[in-house]
């Protein structure tokens, strides 16, 4: 779906700003790339038609794509388990957890079991989803992540 009366440029600028400001863990001066890698994996799955609606579930396709990308951009480091960025991206403002039963459980864990037992799915901001449905802007966001968040000289 491509909207005719929608400011894609403004929307793209807004979300590149949000992606620039991702809260990423840093250890010994090294920034963890798990969040941008997961976003890139989601965008690639949209690009290939695997993800067709704004309902992201932690599937084997998503996990395999994430692990492959992580290993490509950090080949000398074991990949951060996908359950960590899958949960923690909610703190960045555009990644929204939809809890099973509609309520956040009292105790939080980032384990696979916790996600399977408590998270129904993730949805993105509607504007970000609309942007990802546009092939040109999806590619721009993917390139932005690769060049600004995953390039070794970042």
């Amino acid at each position: 779906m491509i909207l005719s009366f929608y400011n894609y440029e403004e929307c793209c600028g807004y979300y590149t700003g949000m992606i620039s400001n991702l809260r990423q863990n840093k250890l010994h001066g090294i920034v963890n790339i798990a969040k941008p890698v997961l976003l890139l994996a989601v965008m690639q799955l949209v690009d290939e038609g695997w993800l067709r609606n704004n309902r992201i579930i932690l599937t084997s396709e998503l996990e395999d794509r994430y692990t492959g990308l992580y290993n490509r951009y950090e080949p000398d480091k074991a990949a951060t388990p996908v359950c960590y960025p899958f949960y923690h991206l909610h703190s960045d403002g555009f990644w929204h957890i939809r809890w099973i039963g509609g309520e956040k459980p009292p105790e939080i864990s980032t384990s696979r079991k916790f996600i399977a037992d408590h998270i129904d799915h993730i949805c993105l901001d509607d504007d970000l989803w609309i942007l990802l449905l546009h092939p040109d802007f999806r590619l721009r966001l993917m390139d932005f992540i690769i060049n600004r968040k995953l390039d070794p000289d970042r």
Side-chain angles (χ1 to χ4, degrees):
M1 163 178 53
I2 295 178
L3 303 175
S4 298
F5 302 103
Y6 188 77
N7 192 331
Y8 285 95
E9 287 291 339
E10 186 176 326
C11 188
C12 189
Y14 177 79
Y15 284 105
T16 55
M18 291 195 77
I19 292 167
S20 289
N21 294 314
L22 286 176
R23 297 174 179 200
Q24 292 174 257
N25 215 7
K26 193 181 241 185
L27 183 62
H28 306 295
I30 298 171
V31 177
N32 187 296
I33 63 167
K35 286 181 175 182
V37 166
L38 182 56
L39 286 173
L40 184 59
V42 166
M43 290 176 193
Q44 285 185 354
L45 292 175
V46 171
D47 197 50
E48 295 168 12
W50 281 93
L51 188 55
R52 296 174 190 227
N53 59 42
N54 193 1
R55 186 179 177 90
I56 302 164
I57 298 169
L58 187 51
T59 61
S60 60
E61 290 86 7
L62 179 57
E63 185 168 14
D64 291 347
R65 179 64 53 103
Y66 164 83
T67 303
L69 287 167
Y70 200 105
N71 291 333
R72 177 195 290 165
Y73 292 103
E74 289 280 353
D76 300 328
K77 184 178 174 197
T80 299
V82 70
C83 50
Y84 289 98
F86 192 83
Y87 174 77
H88 289 291
L89 261 167
H90 83 276
S91 68
D92 292 294
F94 55 83
W95 181 274
H96 308 286
I97 297 173
R98 298 297 182 239
W99 300 102
I100 293 173
E103 290 188 32
K104 182 178 178 180
E107 294 193 28
I108 300 296
S109 167
T110 52
S111 71
R112 277 294 242 145
K113 181 172 177 16
F114 174 84
I115 289 171
D117 291 347
H118 297 285
I119 295 178
D120 184 59
H121 67 279
I122 300 297
C123 63
L124 302 173
D125 283 355
D126 290 337
D127 285 312
L128 179 55
W129 182 251
I130 288 169
L131 202 60
L132 294 184
L133 294 178
H134 192 294
D136 296 336
F137 286 94
R138 181 174 57 246
L139 182 59
R140 283 173 59 177
L141 286 177
M142 291 166 62
D143 287 344
F144 180 84
I145 290 171
I146 291 166
N147 296 320
R148 298 283 179 93
K149 301 302 274 182
L150 301 176
D151 185 292
D153 299 324
R154 62 188 179 278

